[in-house]
Amino acid sequence: SRELFVLTYGALVAQLCKDYEKDEDVNICLDRMGYSIGIRLIDDFLARSAVKKCRSYSETTDMIAQVAFKMYLGVTASVSCNSAAGNEFSLILDKNPLVDFVEELPAERASLCYCNLLCGVIRGALEMVHLAAEVTFLQDRLKGDAVTEIGITFLRKAEDRKHRRN
């Protein structure tokens, strides 16, 4: 079923490229679709994974890399922290199953972010657990980079998340 999903995803991106002239419009559309998936997928993830509440941004990012990616894409990602503040992380995928049947992007589509759906999924899921984040591709193998790297920047300080019970 993973192969069917990957082929269907490729057909979706190809159709969006036909529908929109600008790569940026395709990227925005993929992000929106991913966001819609993410806000619904989080319920399934929480029910099926039986994970406990994450207490830090680092734990949250590890959960995405080790559990969520494995559960839905069949791969795990490595995590690196990119800031002293502890709110910026990178998810590094050695293998990205969404591009199994894609060799390279055409030259006229150089600014296309083929897997931008993933950024939207992550952003939507995080938002549903009250974690505002900016999620972007930092590196992409389809663009000649050595790895696929997704950057996650949590937009609030950790202390902003604490709530008092009355």
Side-chain angles (χ1 to χ4, degrees):
S1 72
R2 187 177 99 172
E3 287 181 354
L4 177 62
F5 171 70
V6 172
L7 289 170
T8 303
Y9 182 73
L12 169 73
V13 174
Q15 185 61 50
L16 290 173
C17 288
K18 289 178 184 174
D19 292 346
Y20 297 100
E21 287 182 28
K22 297 179 185 175
D23 289 345
E24 186 57 36
D25 293 336
V26 175
N27 294 342
I28 290 168
C29 189
L30 288 171
D31 182 74
R32 282 186 192 149
M33 287 178 177
Y35 178 82
S36 294
I37 293 168
I39 62 175
R40 289 165 181 81
L41 196 64
I42 190 67
D43 288 331
D44 179 68
F45 173 75
L46 293 173
R48 289 180 50 202
S49 66
V51 297
K52 296 183 181 184
K53 183 178 179 180
C54 296
R55 304 243 178 247
S56 68
Y57 291 144
S58 177
E59 283 182 32
T60 302
T61 307
D62 285 339
M63 190 64 58
I64 294 167
Q66 303 299 317
V67 180
F69 272 71
K70 184 71 170 175
M71 187 181 290
Y72 294 106
L73 295 176
V75 298
T76 57
S78 57
V79 178
S80 65
C81 184
N82 297 338
S83 71
N87 70 325
E88 294 180 26
F89 297 86
S90 285
L91 300 173
I92 300 167
L93 293 163
D94 292 325
K95 182 170 175 23
N96 181 352
L98 288 182
V99 299
D100 280 351
F101 302 110
V102 180
E103 295 196 18
E104 62 183 40
L105 294 176
E108 65 274 5
R109 291 292 185 178
S111 60
L112 176 67
C113 192
Y114 183 84
C115 296
N116 212 37
L117 183 94
L118 292 177
C119 293
V121 169
I122 294 168
R123 188 172 54 85
L126 287 172
E127 190 171 299
M128 292 308 293
V129 292
H130 307 288
L131 294 171
E134 181 179 294
V135 185
T136 57
F137 267 90
L138 302 175
Q139 293 186 70
D140 191 346
R141 279 197 167 169
L142 289 179
K143 295 182 179 181
D145 296 318
V147 294
T148 299
E149 180 179 3
I150 300 171
I152 300 175
T153 303
F154 292 95
L155 300 176
R156 288 187 218 115
K157 297 178 187 169
E159 57 270 11
D160 291 346
R161 293 179 34 215
K162 295 180 183 172
H163 300 287
R164 286 190 177 174
R165 293 183 181 206
N166 295 334

